[in-house]
Amino acid sequence: MATYSSRNRESPNILLTGTPGTGKTTLGQELALRLDMQYVNVGDVAKEKELYEGWDEDYQCPVLDEDRVIDEMEEIVNNGGCIIDYHSCEFFPERWFDIIFVLRTDNSILYNRLQQRGYSGRKLQDNIQCEIFQTILDEARSSYLPSIVFPLASNCPDDLETNIDKIKDYIERWKASKEQI
């Protein structure tokens, strides 16, 4: 397996994570377009390469084979400049990311978004509880250096623009700090 560090990257790797429906894909695609970075949706990679280890009857969805996902994505993230989008984060190698943004959405807004996606029953309730108890944020803070984990509000279109500006500012500071080394 390749070894590298952020010192070898010219552009940072960013993880966008959060409960389904918080706007990761919208933000990630827009960032990639505006910043000329590579957008990678982990769910799409898994689907395209069939990186599954089974089927979850309760949630009616495939179960990701995390080891195969890591193997498949290693070279993609190697050189930096990637925006990775996934609703979970604890299984990714710590060395992959220079910053992690956890998108957060008010529960009433998230509930409506998930219902519009066809979520119902246990799947809907479990995802709402995940957001209420900030499960993904806590997961990110326990899996990575807390100093690189930042929550971002994602409730409306204005939040999208604000978040893009915050992330652009981070990238500029990251690149400036690299020049000082």
Side-chain angles (χ1 to χ4, degrees), residues 6 37 108 141 166-167 174 180:
S6 65
M37 295 178 75
S108 60
R141 287 178 172 157
K166 287 179 182 179
I167 294 170
W174 183 88
Q180 294 175 358

Side-chain angles (χ1 to χ4, degrees), residues 118-170:
Y119 284 41
S120 62
R122 181 174 172 203
K123 187 172 185 177
L124 176 61
Q125 293 306 316
D126 285 355
N127 278 287
I128 294 299
Q129 286 182 1
C130 182
E131 189 66 11
I132 290 170
F133 295 115
Q134 70 180 29
T135 303
I136 307 297
L137 180 59
D138 290 345
E139 195 176 87
R141 287 178 172 157
S142 68
S143 299
Y144 303 94
L145 292 172
S147 62
I148 68 166
V149 176
F150 299 94
L152 295 174
S154 182
N155 296 306
C156 64
D158 288 344
D159 289 340
L160 176 67
E161 290 303 319
T162 299
N163 291 339
I164 288 170
D165 290 342
K166 287 179 182 179
I167 294 170
K168 284 168 62 175
D169 181 59
Y170 166 78

Side-chain angles (χ1 to χ4, degrees), residues 58-128:
D58 290 335
Y59 292 110
Q60 292 297 299
C61 65
V63 177
L64 197 67
D65 184 330
E66 295 171 353
D67 290 334
R68 289 178 58 211
V69 168
I70 300 267
D71 291 343
E72 183 67 33
M73 292 182 57
E74 187 77 36
E75 289 303 315
I76 295 170
V77 300
N78 190 23
N79 294 322
C82 292
I83 299 167
I84 307 297
D85 165 353
Y86 196 59
H87 63 267
S88 182
C89 64
E90 80 282 350
F91 72 93
F92 295 116
E94 194 174 353
R95 69 183 181 277
W96 277 13
F97 301 111
D98 301 292
I99 192 161
I100 296 160
F101 293 103
V102 182
L103 275 64
R104 306 291 318 277
T105 301
D106 292 340
N107 298 325
S108 60
I109 295 168
L110 183 61
Y111 189 91
N112 291 334
R113 288 179 186 174
L114 293 176
Q115 273 192 319
Q116 289 173 354
R117 289 183 174 192
Y119 284 41
S120 62
R122 181 174 172 203
K123 187 172 185 177
L124 176 61
Q125 293 306 316
D126 285 355
N127 278 287
I128 294 299

